[in-house]
Amino acid sequence: MESQDLKKAGLKATLPRIKILNILESSPARHMSAEDVYKALLEGGEEVGLATVYRVLTQFEAAGLVERHHFEGGHSIFELNDGDHHDHILCVKCGRVDEFMDDVIEQRQHQIAEEKGYNITSHSLYIFGICRKCQK
Amino acid sequence: MESQDLKKAGLKATLPRIKILNILESSPARHMSAEDVYKALLEGGEEVGLATVYRVLTQFEAAGLVERHHFEGGHSIFELNDGDHHDHILCVKCGRVDEFMDDVIEQRQHQIAEEKGYNITSHSLYIFGICRKCQK
DNA sequence: GGCTATAATGAGAAGCGTTCGCATTAGTGT
DNA sequence: ACACTAATGCGAACGCTTCTCATTATAGCC
Ligand SMILES: [Mn+2]
Ligand SMILES: [Mn+2]
Ligand SMILES: [Zn+2]
Ligand SMILES: [Zn+2]
């Protein structure tokens, strides 16, 4: 029940929020833009304003339900926060997205932050390339 | 002489391009937005349109004279391309930027790309944190 | 050194993703 | 069920960037 998840996150269980959470959970695409979510709602016959989609996604992010990424291209991409951190590798031709987690890289980043005198708060790592299919 | 650098890069040596290259070379800030460059021109009493600054920076990027980065915040940041690759660590409080290069991370990225079947073309890595000064 | 073909510029309009303002609507706790 | 308040939808506005197009400057040739 999504209402429970929302309330646990400290958010009122409104219809738009439930519907948006639903889209994020049931959509085949793990990584969606606000526009993607909006279109999915419209296709489902739901009446939700685009501004609300943006607002709700931002609230979800603040509540830790969702993560926001900046895959090149100026717009934000959201994905459900499953709790496990990972980074992304993307195909510059077809837009395919794969996920990975590398302990060596994570560790080196902390090392570097320490060397430079920073108290690390986050990082963003994207590898761009051409996927297997697009190489042929 | 900047005119030579521009011609070598296959670009006509126009006044705006020379002035912009000059700003990039002489400004104390290594990392500048288009707006930063524009303001520096104005402060120097130069008459260059903002649209031209954007156009020229994009051309410089295509010519390999300059690199474009997407430090959070929606706008592009440019820096002279010195030929040596590096990544960035930024202070989320004061905006300070430091540079680093880590062979271990670079190598792991290629490893990951290979494992995932990607032909790597580039990557972007930003570490965010709080710098020494801002920690106090 | 001038002349011409052509590419570059400047100014403002337009584009795009995102946020804001405000009147209306809906959830919550009683 | 009610009232209090927060959330919504709509359109306008935003910030950064790109486009359009008339004007201007550069490069190569005479
Ligand atoms: Mn992901
Ligand atoms: Mn740099
Ligand atoms: Zn691909
Ligand atoms: Zn700082």
Side-chain angles (χ1 to χ4, degrees), chain A residues 27-38:
Chain A
S27 168
R30 263 191 68 75
H31 305 93
M32 304 180 79
S33 68
E35 194 75 34
D36 290 337
V37 172
Y38 180 61

Side-chain angles (χ1 to χ4, degrees), chain A residues 91 94 131 134:
Chain A
C91 179
C94 69
C131 77
C134 292

Side-chain angles (χ1 to χ4, degrees), chain B residues 30-31 67 69 71 77-80 82 84-88 97-100:
Chain B
R30 265 191 67 76
H31 306 94
E67 278 198 18
H69 303 293
F71 299 175
I77 297 287
F78 301 86
E79 80 176 308
L80 277 177
D82 294 334
D84 62 325
H85 166 73
H86 61 260
D87 292 297
H88 299 90
V97 180
D98 282 291
E99 305 180 329
F100 68 88

Side-chain angles (χ1 to χ4, degrees), chain B residues 90-113:
Chain B
L90 334 160
C91 179
V92 295
K93 292 219 168 163
C94 70
R96 181 191 166 102
V97 180
D98 282 291
E99 305 180 329
F100 68 88
M101 212 311 253
D102 189 275
D103 285 318
V104 176
I105 291 180
E106 300 290 323
Q107 197 189 105
R108 288 299 304 149
Q109 289 183 60
H110 278 89
Q111 187 76 27
I112 290 158

Side-chain angles (χ1 to χ4, degrees), chain A residues 46-103:
Chain A
E46 306 290 359
E47 300 275 329
V48 178
L50 180 55
T52 299
V53 173
Y54 275 102
R55 264 187 305 237
V56 167
L57 287 173
T58 301
Q59 292 157 351
F60 281 7
E61 182 192 12
L65 290 176
V66 142
E67 279 198 16
R68 181 194 300 256
H69 302 293
H70 302 282
F71 299 175
E72 81 223 296
H75 56 295
S76 294
I77 297 288
F78 301 85
E79 81 177 309
L80 276 178
N81 183 359
D82 294 335
D84 61 328
H85 166 73
H86 61 261
D87 292 298
H88 299 90
I89 178 163
L90 335 161
C91 179
V92 295
K93 292 216 167 165
C94 69
R96 181 192 165 101
V97 181
D98 283 291
E99 305 180 329
F100 68 88
M101 213 307 254
D102 190 276
D103 284 318

Side-chain angles (χ1 to χ4, degrees), chain A residues 98 102 108 118 121-122 128, chain B residues 98 102 108 118 121-122 128:
Chain A
D98 283 291
D102 190 276
R108 287 299 303 149
Y118 280 74
T121 57
S122 69
F128 301 103
Chain B
D98 282 291
D102 189 275
R108 288 299 304 149
Y118 280 73
T121 58
S122 68
F128 301 103

